[in-house]
Amino acid sequence: MSEPQPAPDPRGAAPGPRRMKPAQLLFEPPEATADPEHFFDLESMEDPRELLSRATELTLAFRAAADRATEFQALAAAQLADPSRFDRMPLATLAEQAEWTEDYAQKMIEFGRSLLRSSSALPGESD
């Protein structure tokens, strides 16, 4: 697939430009996530410059992960709504399963179809 594209915003706002490559998300050890005060060790940072830098890295990484996950939602929605499928999912059912409004589900289906078209148009890529 090509570079991630921002998903349609249910509020109708235009997505902002991508700033920089996000930091890699690292999973926290189970004992750290059990403590509600612990969040990627940010609470232990005393230098505000270091805290700002790391928190910004995490923010960008989570945004990129959310954008990528949303692309996969859109791809799945487009596939599930495909009229050529014998088990095609009705729009209302798809919206309910994804916890979307029907209008937003339709936008996501269209977004997914555009992603499918753009990925099949790239040389050397297959479905």
Side-chain angles (χ1 to χ4, degrees), residues 73-124:
Q73 282 183 309
L75 289 170
Q79 292 169 346
L80 290 169
D82 185 342
S84 66
R85 289 178 63 109
F86 76 93
D87 61 346
R88 178 183 181 191
M89 188 178 286
L91 182 64
T93 305
L94 179 65
E96 181 180 347
Q97 185 173 337
E99 299 180 15
W100 297 329
T101 64
E102 286 187 32
D103 288 342
Y104 188 70
Q106 185 61 47
K107 288 179 183 179
M108 288 295 282
I109 291 166
E110 292 166 9
F111 179 53
R113 287 177 179 157
S114 73
L115 291 173
L116 288 168
R117 279 191 302 272
S118 67
S119 70
S120 64
L122 296 174

Short mmCIF file of all heavy atoms in Angstrom, two decimals, residues 73-124:
data_model
loop_
_atom_site.label_atom_id
_atom_site.label_comp_id
_atom_site.label_asym_id
_atom_site.label_seq_id
_atom_site.Cartn_x
_atom_site.Cartn_y
_atom_site.Cartn_z
N GLN A 73 -9.52 0.06 8.95
CA GLN A 73 -10.97 0.05 9.14
C GLN A 73 -11.67 0.35 7.81
O GLN A 73 -12.65 -0.31 7.45
CB GLN A 73 -11.41 1.10 10.15
CG GLN A 73 -11.18 0.76 11.60
CD GLN A 73 -11.72 1.88 12.48
OE1 GLN A 73 -11.39 3.05 12.28
NE2 GLN A 73 -12.54 1.52 13.44
N ALA A 74 -11.17 1.36 7.12
CA ALA A 74 -11.78 1.76 5.84
C ALA A 74 -11.66 0.64 4.82
O ALA A 74 -12.62 0.36 4.07
CB ALA A 74 -11.12 3.04 5.33
N LEU A 75 -10.51 -0.01 4.75
CA LEU A 75 -10.33 -1.13 3.81
C LEU A 75 -11.32 -2.24 4.13
O LEU A 75 -11.97 -2.79 3.23
CB LEU A 75 -8.90 -1.66 3.88
CG LEU A 75 -7.82 -0.77 3.29
CD1 LEU A 75 -6.43 -1.30 3.64
CD2 LEU A 75 -7.98 -0.66 1.78
N ALA A 76 -11.44 -2.59 5.41
CA ALA A 76 -12.37 -3.64 5.80
C ALA A 76 -13.81 -3.24 5.49
O ALA A 76 -14.59 -4.06 4.99
CB ALA A 76 -12.21 -3.95 7.30
N ALA A 77 -14.16 -1.99 5.76
CA ALA A 77 -15.51 -1.51 5.48
C ALA A 77 -15.82 -1.62 3.99
O ALA A 77 -16.90 -2.07 3.59
CB ALA A 77 -15.69 -0.08 5.97
N ALA A 78 -14.88 -1.21 3.16
CA ALA A 78 -15.07 -1.28 1.71
C ALA A 78 -15.24 -2.73 1.26
O ALA A 78 -16.09 -3.03 0.42
CB ALA A 78 -13.90 -0.63 0.98
N GLN A 79 -14.44 -3.62 1.81
CA GLN A 79 -14.55 -5.02 1.44
C GLN A 79 -15.87 -5.62 1.91
O GLN A 79 -16.53 -6.35 1.17
CB GLN A 79 -13.37 -5.80 2.01
CG GLN A 79 -12.06 -5.43 1.35
CD GLN A 79 -10.84 -5.99 2.06
OE1 GLN A 79 -10.93 -6.45 3.19
NE2 GLN A 79 -9.71 -5.95 1.40
N LEU A 80 -16.29 -5.29 3.14
CA LEU A 80 -17.53 -5.84 3.67
C LEU A 80 -18.77 -5.29 2.95
O LEU A 80 -19.80 -5.95 2.90
CB LEU A 80 -17.64 -5.55 5.17
CG LEU A 80 -16.67 -6.34 6.05
CD1 LEU A 80 -16.67 -5.79 7.46
CD2 LEU A 80 -17.04 -7.83 6.04
N ALA A 81 -18.67 -4.10 2.39
CA ALA A 81 -19.79 -3.48 1.68
C ALA A 81 -19.76 -3.75 0.18
O ALA A 81 -20.64 -3.30 -0.55
CB ALA A 81 -19.79 -1.97 1.93
N ASP A 82 -18.77 -4.50 -0.28
CA ASP A 82 -18.61 -4.77 -1.71
C ASP A 82 -19.84 -5.51 -2.25
O ASP A 82 -20.18 -6.59 -1.77
CB ASP A 82 -17.36 -5.62 -1.92
CG ASP A 82 -17.03 -5.85 -3.38
OD1 ASP A 82 -17.92 -5.67 -4.24
OD2 ASP A 82 -15.89 -6.24 -3.67
N PRO A 83 -20.51 -4.93 -3.26
CA PRO A 83 -21.72 -5.57 -3.80
C PRO A 83 -21.47 -6.93 -4.43
O PRO A 83 -22.39 -7.72 -4.57
CB PRO A 83 -22.22 -4.58 -4.85
CG PRO A 83 -21.36 -3.39 -4.78
CD PRO A 83 -20.21 -3.67 -3.88
N SER A 84 -20.23 -7.23 -4.78
CA SER A 84 -19.95 -8.53 -5.41
C SER A 84 -19.79 -9.66 -4.39
O SER A 84 -19.72 -10.82 -4.77
CB SER A 84 -18.69 -8.43 -6.27
OG SER A 84 -17.55 -8.21 -5.46
N ARG A 85 -19.78 -9.31 -3.11
CA ARG A 85 -19.66 -10.34 -2.06
C ARG A 85 -21.03 -10.96 -1.79
O ARG A 85 -22.01 -10.26 -1.63
CB ARG A 85 -19.14 -9.75 -0.76
CG ARG A 85 -17.68 -9.36 -0.80
CD ARG A 85 -17.27 -8.75 0.53
NE ARG A 85 -17.38 -9.69 1.63
CZ ARG A 85 -16.34 -10.22 2.27
NH1 ARG A 85 -15.13 -9.90 1.91
NH2 ARG A 85 -16.53 -11.06 3.26
N PHE A 86 -21.06 -12.28 -1.68
CA PHE A 86 -22.33 -12.93 -1.37
C PHE A 86 -22.75 -12.63 0.07
O PHE A 86 -23.93 -12.66 0.39
CB PHE A 86 -22.23 -14.44 -1.59
CG PHE A 86 -21.48 -15.17 -0.52
CD1 PHE A 86 -22.16 -15.72 0.56
CD2 PHE A 86 -20.11 -15.29 -0.57
CE1 PHE A 86 -21.47 -16.39 1.56
CE2 PHE A 86 -19.42 -15.96 0.43
CZ PHE A 86 -20.10 -16.51 1.50
N ASP A 87 -21.78 -12.33 0.92
CA ASP A 87 -22.07 -12.05 2.32
C ASP A 87 -21.94 -10.55 2.63
O ASP A 87 -21.58 -10.17 3.73
CB ASP A 87 -21.16 -12.86 3.23
CG ASP A 87 -19.68 -12.55 3.02
OD1 ASP A 87 -19.33 -11.91 2.01
OD2 ASP A 87 -18.86 -12.95 3.88
N ARG A 88 -22.26 -9.74 1.65
CA ARG A 88 -22.17 -8.28 1.80
C ARG A 88 -22.89 -7.83 3.07
O ARG A 88 -23.98 -8.29 3.38
CB ARG A 88 -22.79 -7.61 0.59
CG ARG A 88 -22.77 -6.11 0.68
CD ARG A 88 -23.46 -5.51 -0.52
NE ARG A 88 -23.40 -4.06 -0.42
CZ ARG A 88 -24.09 -3.26 -1.18
NH1 ARG A 88 -24.88 -3.74 -2.12
NH2 ARG A 88 -23.99 -1.96 -1.03
N MET A 89 -22.27 -6.92 3.81
CA MET A 89 -22.84 -6.42 5.05
C MET A 89 -23.64 -5.15 4.76
O MET A 89 -23.12 -4.23 4.14
CB MET A 89 -21.74 -6.13 6.06
CG MET A 89 -22.24 -5.80 7.45
SD MET A 89 -20.89 -5.54 8.64
CE MET A 89 -20.33 -7.21 8.91
N PRO A 90 -24.89 -5.10 5.20
CA PRO A 90 -25.67 -3.87 5.01
C PRO A 90 -25.02 -2.69 5.74
O PRO A 90 -24.38 -2.86 6.78
CB PRO A 90 -27.03 -4.20 5.63
CG PRO A 90 -27.08 -5.69 5.72
CD PRO A 90 -25.66 -6.15 5.84
N LEU A 91 -25.23 -1.50 5.20
CA LEU A 91 -24.62 -0.29 5.76
C LEU A 91 -24.96 -0.12 7.24
O LEU A 91 -24.08 0.17 8.06
CB LEU A 91 -25.08 0.94 4.96
CG LEU A 91 -24.51 2.27 5.40
CD1 LEU A 91 -22.99 2.31 5.20
CD2 LEU A 91 -25.17 3.41 4.63
N ALA A 92 -26.21 -0.32 7.61
CA ALA A 92 -26.62 -0.14 9.01
C ALA A 92 -25.89 -1.12 9.93
O ALA A 92 -25.46 -0.75 11.03
CB ALA A 92 -28.13 -0.31 9.14
N THR A 93 -25.72 -2.35 9.48
CA THR A 93 -25.03 -3.36 10.29
C THR A 93 -23.56 -3.01 10.43
O THR A 93 -22.99 -3.11 11.52
CB THR A 93 -25.19 -4.75 9.64
OG1 THR A 93 -26.58 -5.01 9.47
CG2 THR A 93 -24.56 -5.83 10.50
N LEU A 94 -22.95 -2.59 9.33
CA LEU A 94 -21.54 -2.19 9.35
C LEU A 94 -21.35 -1.01 10.30
O LEU A 94 -20.44 -1.02 11.14
CB LEU A 94 -21.08 -1.82 7.94
CG LEU A 94 -19.65 -1.34 7.78
CD1 LEU A 94 -18.67 -2.45 8.12
CD2 LEU A 94 -19.42 -0.87 6.37
N ALA A 95 -22.21 -0.02 10.20
CA ALA A 95 -22.10 1.16 11.07
C ALA A 95 -22.25 0.75 12.53
O ALA A 95 -21.48 1.20 13.39
CB ALA A 95 -23.18 2.18 10.69
N GLU A 96 -23.20 -0.10 12.81
CA GLU A 96 -23.41 -0.54 14.20
C GLU A 96 -22.20 -1.30 14.73
O GLU A 96 -21.74 -1.06 15.85
CB GLU A 96 -24.66 -1.42 14.27
CG GLU A 96 -24.97 -1.89 15.68
CD GLU A 96 -26.21 -2.78 15.72
OE1 GLU A 96 -26.96 -2.84 14.73
OE2 GLU A 96 -26.40 -3.43 16.76
N GLN A 97 -21.67 -2.21 13.92
CA GLN A 97 -20.52 -3.01 14.36
C GLN A 97 -19.31 -2.14 14.63
O GLN A 97 -18.55 -2.39 15.57
CB GLN A 97 -20.19 -4.07 13.31
CG GLN A 97 -19.09 -5.00 13.76
CD GLN A 97 -18.87 -6.14 12.79
OE1 GLN A 97 -19.73 -6.52 12.02
NE2 GLN A 97 -17.68 -6.71 12.83
N ALA A 98 -19.10 -1.12 13.81
CA ALA A 98 -17.92 -0.25 13.97
C ALA A 98 -18.19 0.91 14.91
O ALA A 98 -17.29 1.71 15.16
CB ALA A 98 -17.49 0.28 12.61
N GLU A 99 -19.43 1.02 15.40
CA GLU A 99 -19.82 2.12 16.29
C GLU A 99 -19.69 3.47 15.59
O GLU A 99 -19.17 4.43 16.14
CB GLU A 99 -19.05 2.08 17.61
CG GLU A 99 -19.28 0.80 18.39
CD GLU A 99 -18.52 0.74 19.70
OE1 GLU A 99 -18.04 1.77 20.18
OE2 GLU A 99 -18.42 -0.37 20.24
N TRP A 100 -20.16 3.51 14.33
CA TRP A 100 -20.18 4.70 13.52
C TRP A 100 -21.62 5.08 13.22
O TRP A 100 -22.52 4.26 13.32
CB TRP A 100 -19.50 4.48 12.16
CG TRP A 100 -18.05 4.14 12.18
CD1 TRP A 100 -17.12 4.54 13.08
CD2 TRP A 100 -17.36 3.36 11.20
NE1 TRP A 100 -15.89 4.06 12.73
CE2 TRP A 100 -16.01 3.32 11.58
CE3 TRP A 100 -17.74 2.70 10.05
CZ2 TRP A 100 -15.04 2.66 10.84
CZ3 TRP A 100 -16.77 2.03 9.31
CH2 TRP A 100 -15.43 2.01 9.71
N THR A 101 -21.83 6.32 12.76
CA THR A 101 -23.12 6.68 12.18
C THR A 101 -23.14 6.09 10.76
O THR A 101 -22.07 5.77 10.20
CB THR A 101 -23.30 8.20 12.08
OG1 THR A 101 -22.32 8.72 11.17
CG2 THR A 101 -23.18 8.87 13.45
N GLU A 102 -24.32 5.98 10.18
CA GLU A 102 -24.39 5.45 8.81
C GLU A 102 -23.71 6.39 7.82
O GLU A 102 -23.07 5.93 6.88
CB GLU A 102 -25.84 5.19 8.41
CG GLU A 102 -26.40 3.96 9.10
CD GLU A 102 -27.78 3.57 8.60
OE1 GLU A 102 -28.08 3.80 7.39
OE2 GLU A 102 -28.55 3.03 9.41
N ASP A 103 -23.82 7.69 8.05
CA ASP A 103 -23.15 8.66 7.17
C ASP A 103 -21.63 8.47 7.21
O ASP A 103 -20.95 8.48 6.18
CB ASP A 103 -23.49 10.10 7.55
CG ASP A 103 -24.91 10.48 7.19
OD1 ASP A 103 -25.53 9.79 6.36
OD2 ASP A 103 -25.38 11.50 7.73
N TYR A 104 -21.10 8.31 8.43
CA TYR A 104 -19.66 8.12 8.56
C TYR A 104 -19.24 6.78 7.96
O TYR A 104 -18.19 6.67 7.31
CB TYR A 104 -19.24 8.23 10.02
CG TYR A 104 -17.74 8.23 10.20
CD1 TYR A 104 -16.98 9.30 9.80
CD2 TYR A 104 -17.09 7.13 10.77
CE1 TYR A 104 -15.59 9.30 9.94
CE2 TYR A 104 -15.71 7.13 10.93
CZ TYR A 104 -14.97 8.21 10.51
OH TYR A 104 -13.61 8.19 10.66
N ALA A 105 -20.06 5.73 8.16
CA ALA A 105 -19.75 4.42 7.57
C ALA A 105 -19.66 4.54 6.05
O ALA A 105 -18.75 3.97 5.43
CB ALA A 105 -20.81 3.40 7.98
N GLN A 106 -20.57 5.29 5.45
CA GLN A 106 -20.53 5.48 3.99
C GLN A 106 -19.24 6.20 3.57
O GLN A 106 -18.61 5.82 2.59
CB GLN A 106 -21.76 6.27 3.51
CG GLN A 106 -21.85 6.38 2.00
CD GLN A 106 -21.95 5.03 1.32
OE1 GLN A 106 -22.73 4.18 1.71
NE2 GLN A 106 -21.14 4.83 0.30
N LYS A 107 -18.84 7.22 4.33
CA LYS A 107 -17.59 7.92 4.02
C LYS A 107 -16.38 6.98 4.15
O LYS A 107 -15.45 7.04 3.35
CB LYS A 107 -17.40 9.12 4.95
CG LYS A 107 -18.34 10.26 4.63
CD LYS A 107 -18.15 11.41 5.58
CE LYS A 107 -19.15 12.52 5.29
NZ LYS A 107 -19.02 13.65 6.20
N MET A 108 -16.42 6.13 5.17
CA MET A 108 -15.31 5.19 5.35
C MET A 108 -15.27 4.15 4.23
O MET A 108 -14.19 3.76 3.77
CB MET A 108 -15.41 4.50 6.72
CG MET A 108 -15.07 5.44 7.87
SD MET A 108 -13.35 5.99 7.86
CE MET A 108 -12.55 4.54 8.52
N ILE A 109 -16.43 3.70 3.78
CA ILE A 109 -16.49 2.77 2.64
C ILE A 109 -15.87 3.42 1.42
O ILE A 109 -15.03 2.82 0.73
CB ILE A 109 -17.94 2.32 2.37
CG1 ILE A 109 -18.43 1.43 3.51
CG2 ILE A 109 -18.06 1.62 1.03
CD1 ILE A 109 -19.94 1.20 3.52
N GLU A 110 -16.25 4.67 1.15
CA GLU A 110 -15.69 5.39 0.00
C GLU A 110 -14.18 5.59 0.15
O GLU A 110 -13.43 5.43 -0.81
CB GLU A 110 -16.41 6.73 -0.16
CG GLU A 110 -17.85 6.59 -0.58
CD GLU A 110 -18.67 7.86 -0.43
OE1 GLU A 110 -18.08 8.93 -0.16
OE2 GLU A 110 -19.89 7.78 -0.59
N PHE A 111 -13.75 5.92 1.37
CA PHE A 111 -12.32 6.08 1.62
C PHE A 111 -11.59 4.76 1.39
O PHE A 111 -10.54 4.71 0.74
CB PHE A 111 -12.12 6.59 3.05
CG PHE A 111 -10.68 6.78 3.45
CD1 PHE A 111 -9.81 7.54 2.70
CD2 PHE A 111 -10.19 6.20 4.62
CE1 PHE A 111 -8.48 7.73 3.08
CE2 PHE A 111 -8.88 6.37 5.00
CZ PHE A 111 -8.02 7.13 4.23
N GLY A 112 -12.16 3.67 1.88
CA GLY A 112 -11.56 2.35 1.69
C GLY A 112 -11.48 1.98 0.22
O GLY A 112 -10.48 1.43 -0.23
N ARG A 113 -12.52 2.29 -0.52
CA ARG A 113 -12.51 2.00 -1.96
C ARG A 113 -11.41 2.80 -2.66
O ARG A 113 -10.75 2.29 -3.56
CB ARG A 113 -13.88 2.30 -2.57
CG ARG A 113 -14.91 1.26 -2.19
CD ARG A 113 -16.28 1.58 -2.73
NE ARG A 113 -17.22 0.53 -2.34
CZ ARG A 113 -18.53 0.69 -2.27
NH1 ARG A 113 -19.08 1.86 -2.58
NH2 ARG A 113 -19.29 -0.30 -1.89
N SER A 114 -11.23 4.06 -2.23
CA SER A 114 -10.17 4.86 -2.85
C SER A 114 -8.79 4.28 -2.51
O SER A 114 -7.89 4.29 -3.35
CB SER A 114 -10.27 6.32 -2.45
OG SER A 114 -9.87 6.51 -1.10
N LEU A 115 -8.64 3.77 -1.29
CA LEU A 115 -7.37 3.14 -0.93
C LEU A 115 -7.14 1.88 -1.75
O LEU A 115 -6.02 1.61 -2.20
CB LEU A 115 -7.35 2.80 0.57
CG LEU A 115 -7.28 3.97 1.54
CD1 LEU A 115 -7.45 3.48 2.97
CD2 LEU A 115 -5.97 4.72 1.39
N LEU A 116 -8.20 1.10 -1.94
CA LEU A 116 -8.07 -0.12 -2.74
C LEU A 116 -7.71 0.20 -4.18
O LEU A 116 -6.85 -0.45 -4.77
CB LEU A 116 -9.37 -0.94 -2.69
CG LEU A 116 -9.66 -1.63 -1.36
CD1 LEU A 116 -11.09 -2.16 -1.33
CD2 LEU A 116 -8.66 -2.75 -1.11
N ARG A 117 -8.35 1.24 -4.73
CA ARG A 117 -8.04 1.65 -6.11
C ARG A 117 -6.59 2.11 -6.23
O ARG A 117 -5.89 1.75 -7.15
CB ARG A 117 -8.97 2.76 -6.58
CG ARG A 117 -10.32 2.29 -7.05
CD ARG A 117 -11.09 3.41 -7.74
NE ARG A 117 -11.29 4.57 -6.90
CZ ARG A 117 -12.30 4.75 -6.05
NH1 ARG A 117 -13.22 3.83 -5.92
NH2 ARG A 117 -12.39 5.85 -5.35
N SER A 118 -6.14 2.92 -5.27
CA SER A 118 -4.79 3.46 -5.37
C SER A 118 -3.74 2.37 -5.15
O SER A 118 -2.69 2.40 -5.77
CB SER A 118 -4.58 4.61 -4.39
OG SER A 118 -4.64 4.16 -3.06
N SER A 119 -4.03 1.38 -4.32
CA SER A 119 -3.04 0.32 -4.10
C SER A 119 -2.99 -0.62 -5.28
O SER A 119 -1.93 -1.14 -5.62
CB SER A 119 -3.33 -0.45 -2.82
OG SER A 119 -4.49 -1.25 -2.96
N SER A 120 -4.11 -0.83 -5.98
CA SER A 120 -4.09 -1.73 -7.14
C SER A 120 -3.51 -1.03 -8.36
O SER A 120 -3.13 -1.68 -9.32
CB SER A 120 -5.49 -2.24 -7.45
OG SER A 120 -6.34 -1.21 -7.83
N ALA A 121 -3.42 0.29 -8.33
CA ALA A 121 -2.87 1.04 -9.45
C ALA A 121 -1.35 1.13 -9.39
O ALA A 121 -0.72 1.51 -10.36
CB ALA A 121 -3.46 2.45 -9.48
N LEU A 122 -0.75 0.76 -8.25
CA LEU A 122 0.69 0.85 -8.11
C LEU A 122 1.37 -0.33 -8.79
O LEU A 122 0.95 -1.47 -8.62
CB LEU A 122 1.10 0.88 -6.63
CG LEU A 122 0.61 2.10 -5.85
CD1 LEU A 122 0.95 1.93 -4.38
CD2 LEU A 122 1.26 3.36 -6.38
N PRO A 123 2.44 -0.09 -9.56
CA PRO A 123 3.14 -1.19 -10.21
C PRO A 123 3.79 -2.11 -9.16
O PRO A 123 4.32 -1.65 -8.17
CB PRO A 123 4.21 -0.50 -11.07
CG PRO A 123 4.23 0.93 -10.67
CD PRO A 123 3.03 1.20 -9.84
N GLY A 124 3.66 -3.41 -9.41
CA GLY A 124 4.31 -4.38 -8.51
C GLY A 124 3.50 -4.69 -7.28
O GLY A 124 3.90 -5.50 -6.47
#
